[in-house]
Amino acid sequence: MTLDGIEALIASNYYTSKTGKVDKGYDSHKVNFVRYADDFIVTADSEDTAKEIEELIKSFLMERGLELSESKTLISHINDGFDFLGWNFRKYQGKLLIKPSKDSIDKITKKISDVIKRGKAWKQEDLISILNPIITGWSNYHQSVVSKDIFSNLDNRLWGMLWNWAKRRHPDKSKSWIVKRYWHDAGTRKWIFSTKEKELKRFFDTKIVRHPNLKLGMNPYLDKEYFDLRRYKISLRGKANNLLNKTTIA
């Protein structure tokens, strides 16, 4: 709640017409403010404008006994990109692409690695039970951005970790014995880390579902029908993609 005034402060400085009326249509410096809890970004048409806004925000926070974190505050060109809420925003040859950030990828890799190290003596089905919600949660969060190649790379990393896990358990067994023990085929799919009861999920199995833009004039408390319909359409799109994928494989 303390940070709620930042948007009004920016609007009063950059969205004001000659008559003093605040209207975003008068924004000549392409200034936009986006915030989630205490994380926020500001866009601008130039580095100078960005620095002006940074000073405004510093003054705003100082009055409330707060300050910007030096380690987390960055002024960057869109061609160099920036991270926000676990994603990297960057333009490649003029096209904006949003991908999972390197930091987010490193964190999920470490989390999975730590689980597998802790589970060196676990049963295979117990390890699968712990890993599946981690894989599902992370891939669902990132399924609306450019993630397919990253999903595939994470599956390769995971396979390598599980192979080491299996080899450590059976140092005297052959590679073919280890494969038959822990990896199985199902239909057209091969090399599935599974038991008779459980199967490890893959990042790559999560379908990319593009997130439709919000109508920014809508209020979640006043326009409940709009948000209910929006959630329903997003849900249908995800189910349709999964059905299409199963049909194609069959």
Side-chain angles (χ1 to χ4, degrees):
M1 292 175 65
T2 304
L3 301 181
D4 284 349
I6 295 179
E7 188 167 11
L9 174 66
I10 292 174
S12 65
N13 281 269
Y14 292 94
Y15 301 158
T16 306
S17 68
K18 293 180 180 179
T19 60
K21 180 182 178 182
V22 175
D23 186 336
K24 197 167 183 179
Y26 291 102
D27 176 22
S28 59
H29 293 284
K30 299 181 179 178
V31 174
N32 292 282
F33 176 78
V34 180
R35 178 166 70 94
Y36 182 84
D38 62 342
D39 291 321
F40 60 85
I41 60 171
V42 182
T43 68
D45 63 344
S46 69
E47 184 177 1
D48 289 340
T49 303
K51 288 180 177 178
E52 289 176 3
I53 297 171
E54 182 181 20
E55 293 304 315
L56 278 176
I57 294 174
K58 282 182 177 179
S59 297
F60 176 92
L61 294 176
M62 189 179 298
E63 293 174 1
R64 291 156 179 79
L66 302 171
E67 60 183 17
L68 288 175
S69 168
E70 291 187 9
S71 62
K72 295 181 179 180
T73 302
L74 169 72
I75 294 179
S76 175
H77 194 281
I78 191 60
N79 290 340
D80 298 321
F82 62 91
D83 292 347
F84 184 55
L85 301 181
W87 292 332
N88 178 260
F89 296 73
R90 182 179 172 186
K91 275 191 175 182
Y92 297 82
Q93 298 179 344
K95 182 177 182 180
L96 177 66
L97 295 182
I98 305 171
K99 303 179 181 182
S101 68
K102 182 180 183 301
D103 183 58
S104 182
I105 295 168
D106 289 344
K107 284 181 179 178
I108 189 63
T109 301
K110 185 178 186 306
K111 185 172 185 177
I112 289 174
S113 176
D114 289 345
V115 168
I116 293 174
K117 287 176 182 176
R118 290 203 319 270
K120 58 186 177 182
W122 295 350
K123 293 180 180 179
Q124 185 182 11
E125 52 264 34
D126 293 337
L127 180 60
I128 292 173
S129 294
I130 298 297
L131 288 175
N132 274 348
I134 295 173
I135 294 168
T136 300
W138 195 89
S139 55
N140 282 348
Y141 181 81
H142 294 285
Q143 72 176 152
S144 63
V145 298
V146 183
S147 303
K148 266 305 175 189
D149 288 344
I150 292 169
F151 285 170
S152 180
N153 289 337
L154 284 172
D155 282 330
N156 290 336
R157 291 186 188 184
L158 177 56
W159 190 95
M161 294 179 202
L162 293 172
W163 178 252
N164 289 331
W165 174 87
K167 284 200 303 180
R168 281 196 299 267
R169 293 165 70 89
H170 308 284
D172 299 327
K173 297 294 185 180
S174 67
K175 291 182 178 179
S176 59
W177 186 94
I178 293 173
V179 170
K180 289 179 182 178
R181 173 70 182 270
Y182 294 104
W183 281 268
H184 306 93
D185 299 342
T188 58
R189 287 187 57 189
K190 301 182 182 298
W191 288 85
I192 303 172
F193 189 76
S194 60
T195 65
K196 290 182 179 180
E197 293 79 21
K198 290 186 180 293
E199 175 181 314
L200 184 70
K201 295 183 180 296
R202 299 188 307 172
F203 289 93
F204 195 79
D205 289 336
T206 301
K207 298 295 119 183
I208 299 298
V209 179
R210 297 301 178 208
H211 194 72
N213 291 334
L214 277 167
K215 292 182 179 179
L216 298 182
M218 294 294 184
N219 186 310
Y221 298 101
L222 302 177
D223 304 295
K224 185 176 182 299
E225 184 178 349
Y226 166 77
F227 286 94
D228 287 345
L229 181 59
R230 175 186 172 81
R231 280 190 291 269
Y232 176 70
K233 287 181 177 179
I234 292 173
S235 174
L236 282 184
R237 187 179 289 111
K239 291 178 181 177
N241 281 344
N242 287 333
L243 179 61
L244 177 62
N245 182 60
K246 291 178 182 178
T247 305
T248 303
I249 290 176

